Amino acid sequence: MADFSIDPNFQEQLDWIREFVKAEIEPLDLAFAGEDMVYNKASAFYEEAIRPLQQIVKDRGLWSCHLTPEYGGQGYGQVQLAYMNEILGRSQFGPTVFGSQAPDSGNAEIIAHYGTPEQKAKYLEPLLDGRISSCYSMTEPQGGADPGVFTCSAVRDGDEWVIDGEKWFASSLRYATFLIVMVITDPDVVVHKGASMFLVPADSPGIEVVRNVGVGQEAEGHGGHAYVRYNSVRVPAENLLGGEGQAFAIAQTRLGGGRLHHAMRTVGAVSRCLDMLCERALSRTTQGELLARKQATQEKIADSFIELLQFKLQVLHAAWVVDQKGGHAARKEIAAVKAATPKVYREAVLRTMQLHGALGVSNEMPLANMLMASVTMGIADGPTEVHKFTVAREVLKEYAPAEGDWPSEHLPERRAAARAEFADLLERSVSDH
Ligand SMILES: Cc1cc2nc3c(=O)[nH]c(=O)nc-3n(C[C@H](O)[C@H](O)[C@H](O)COP(=O)(O)OP(=O)(O)OC[C@H]3O[C@@H](n4cnc5c(N)ncnc54)[C@H](O)[C@@H]3O)c2cc1C
């Protein structure tokens, strides 16, 4: 039986997180906005403002809750993470303070899963401890959604591999101590079998950042996503993550959870939109009455509330399926959530923007940035179209073609069968009249 109640002890944690985010983290969002601040772990700001808050979270037993206790996490199931990430999704620094900031969280997961003891000691431990940042480098300039066009490759040379090629949109590379790079190691087989992943120190000779690309209206050169060239970058053979040809299996481990966590945080962002929408509706008077009294406003509020509730339940259900059956068995649910995320987010932002008029599109509200974030949700970690394809493929597996020339719901055939079953009764009821 479905049960939406929350364990009182966990609810107490959630209440604490909500208060902590509001009182301690949201002011940081306002005073220190920008990617630099989130990823630059060597900055005085990070040392003085972020680390003490991280320590409070650790002392409270809420650090990196997505990881197992073996790696210093809490081993929370996805349903618990959904409630928690909903709160953290309201704040830019929330995930950083709680040790679940992408891409570090996903990178930590795959090293924990596939890394050797030496790799874990060298890369995972400082990453989990929040001392260093990392980067995930998979997308190439000529194509991200289709790995079949990837060309960046590594060739074995004695005890080393030599990486050559270009990658695109490698987020936060400028602050990374190491990168996880996906490359072709066997061009003679299909890419799903011929690609491997390497742990590459960011100061390796030959890594050339062509430029840092920004999103939306970020100033030229100040963006956080690197267009990067690997010019015969040499890495020791022991830096291979997992086995040769395992890159896609590793990527799936990383992306499934990551996609769901983005959706969980989006629930928080969408509920923030609803808060802004309702407050505005109750605060602004036009033509002698509150906006809240206009039917058009009520429709916006109802639509935002309904879509938020539907989305939240969808995310919780996907999280529950992962907890029950594992991420692989939940690929349909995860893909469906991923496809729904940008649409729900975008529509919520647009309604809230509209009701705020000029203020809504101005740089004095968070909405323009949220709109761009909603669009990127439909591209990062794979475009919506590809996730819909996955949903359709998985749904179709549950169906079979019609047996004859007509659909199984074709009424004349069904009626004929039903009439044959009840022939006696039909005949008697006709003769009764
Ligand atoms: C904010 C942000 C951060 C990112 N961070 C990283 C990162 O850290 N590391 C990394 O490696 N990558 C990163 N990416 C890149 C991201 O993974 C790619 O953008 C994504 O996989 C899509 O690839 P693409 O941009 O090359 O688009 P393309 O593959 O060129 O696709 C463009 C469009 O074509 C259409 N399309 C594509 N395939 C299909 C299809 N099969 N059927 C129908 N239509 C289709 C869709 O409309 C799609 O949006 C990031 C992207 C963003 C926006």
Side-chain angles (χ1 to χ4, degrees):
M1 196 173 78
D3 181 358
F4 294 103
S5 58
I6 298 174
D7 174 82
N9 292 333
F10 184 56
Q11 183 61 57
E12 213 177 283
Q13 293 282 42
L14 292 176
D15 293 342
W16 181 85
I17 296 170
R18 199 180 304 278
E19 271 311 301
F20 183 68
V21 167
K22 201 162 181 236
E24 306 291 342
I25 308 182
E26 284 183 11
L28 296 180
D29 291 346
L30 297 169
F32 303 96
E35 290 229 329
D36 287 27
M37 298 300 194
V38 173
Y39 294 108
N40 187 358
K41 293 178 182 168
S43 68
F45 159 75
Y46 207 91
E47 205 51 55
E48 287 170 34
I50 297 290
R51 284 201 205 287
L53 296 182
Q54 289 178 331
Q55 194 54 51
I56 295 173
V57 168
K58 286 177 185 174
D59 293 345
R60 180 102 194 167
L62 289 169
W63 178 251
S64 289
C65 288
H66 59 293
L67 292 168
T68 56
E70 187 188 352
Y71 297 109
Q74 305 306 313
Y76 274 18
Q78 298 298 323
V79 170
Q80 281 182 303
L81 288 175
Y83 286 112
M84 193 173 159
N85 278 328
E86 177 185 342
I87 304 172
L88 301 185
R90 295 177 71 99
S91 149
Q92 185 192 1
F93 285 106
T96 303
V97 171
F98 280 75
S100 57
Q101 179 65 47
D104 295 339
S105 52
N107 289 344
E109 265 183 278
I110 57 177
I111 304 173
H113 208 273
Y114 293 94
T116 61
E118 293 74 29
Q119 289 171 345
K120 287 177 187 169
K122 188 165 177 189
Y123 298 102
L124 182 60
E125 280 175 23
L127 190 63
L128 288 181
D129 205 30
R131 278 182 275 136
I132 59 170
S133 286
S134 62
C135 170
Y136 183 72
S137 180
M138 172 174 161
T139 306
E140 301 195 3
Q142 73 279 12
D146 177 13
V149 301
F150 286 0
T151 57
C152 185
S153 64
V155 175
R156 181 101 191 211
D157 181 22
D159 286 343
E160 294 179 322
W161 287 86
V162 186
I163 302 175
D164 275 290
E166 291 187 343
K167 293 281 179 185
W168 170 244
F169 252 73
S171 302
S172 70
L173 190 156
R174 65 163 86 196
Y175 299 114
T177 298
F178 73 93
L179 300 81
I180 297 181
V181 188
M182 183 194 276
V183 289
I184 307 292
T185 44
D186 184 353
D188 297 328
V189 297
V190 288
V191 68
H192 289 89
K193 293 187 176 158
S196 308
M197 282 199 192
F198 288 93
L199 292 155
V200 182
D203 58 1
S204 303
I207 297 181
E208 174 196 352
V209 174
V210 180
R211 60 179 178 272
N212 278 301
V213 182
V215 168
Q217 300 194 348
E218 283 176 329
E220 192 181 341
H222 289 273
H225 312 282
Y227 173 20
V228 55
R229 198 168 282 148
Y230 298 93
N231 300 303
S232 299
V233 175
R234 288 183 170 268
V235 285
E238 66 260 24
N239 281 29
L240 177 69
L241 183 62
E244 245 182 274
Q246 271 209 326
F248 278 85
I250 300 175
Q252 281 316 312
T253 307
R254 182 183 193 284
L255 291 172
R259 286 168 182 153
L260 202 47
H261 297 165
H262 274 311
M264 293 167 181
R265 288 189 282 266
T266 300
V267 173
V270 171
S271 81
R272 195 172 160 207
C273 285
L274 179 65
D275 293 347
M276 286 186 261
L277 181 71
C278 293
E279 186 192 72
R280 179 72 170 181
L282 291 169
S283 311
R284 184 82 163 183
T285 301
T286 190
Q287 292 174 333
E289 64 179 1
L290 283 175
L291 280 174
R293 292 189 61 82
K294 308 271 181 207
Q295 274 192 351
T297 305
Q298 292 163 4
E299 190 174 4
K300 286 186 184 65
I301 293 168
D303 285 346
S304 285
F305 175 76
I306 291 164
E307 287 169 23
L308 170 62
L309 190 58
Q310 288 173 335
F311 182 57
K312 182 171 172 168
L313 290 174
Q314 186 190 4
V315 171
L316 281 169
H317 175 256
W320 179 82
V321 177
V322 175
D323 284 346
Q324 298 298 311
K325 302 181 187 169
H328 189 65
R331 59 193 177 282
K332 177 179 65 181
E333 285 78 12
I334 293 174
V337 159
K338 174 71 172 76
T341 302
K343 191 166 175 225
V344 175
Y345 193 178
R346 186 179 60 240
E347 293 302 315
V349 174
L350 287 176
R351 282 186 213 104
T352 304
M353 258 184 161
Q354 183 72 19
L355 205 74
H356 282 77
L359 183 62
V361 297
S362 75
N363 59 4
E364 298 186 358
M365 291 295 286
L367 292 159
N369 285 341
M370 293 173 98
L371 185 60
M372 184 51 74
S374 75
V375 177
T376 61
M377 285 288 171
I379 297 168
D381 288 351
T384 300
E385 291 90 335
V386 176
H387 294 289
K388 284 190 175 173
F389 162 70
T390 303
V391 173
R393 189 192 59 209
E394 294 301 316
V395 169
L396 282 171
K397 282 181 188 166
E398 294 157 19
Y399 291 86
E403 279 176 9
D405 288 340
W406 302 101
S408 57
E409 288 277 358
H410 190 222
L411 289 174
E413 294 208 333
R414 297 191 69 201
R415 278 201 197 104
R419 282 174 185 152
E421 189 181 340
F422 296 109
D424 279 358
L425 191 56
L426 277 170
E427 200 170 316
R428 275 188 275 127
S429 60
V430 169
S431 56
D432 284 351
H433 283 90

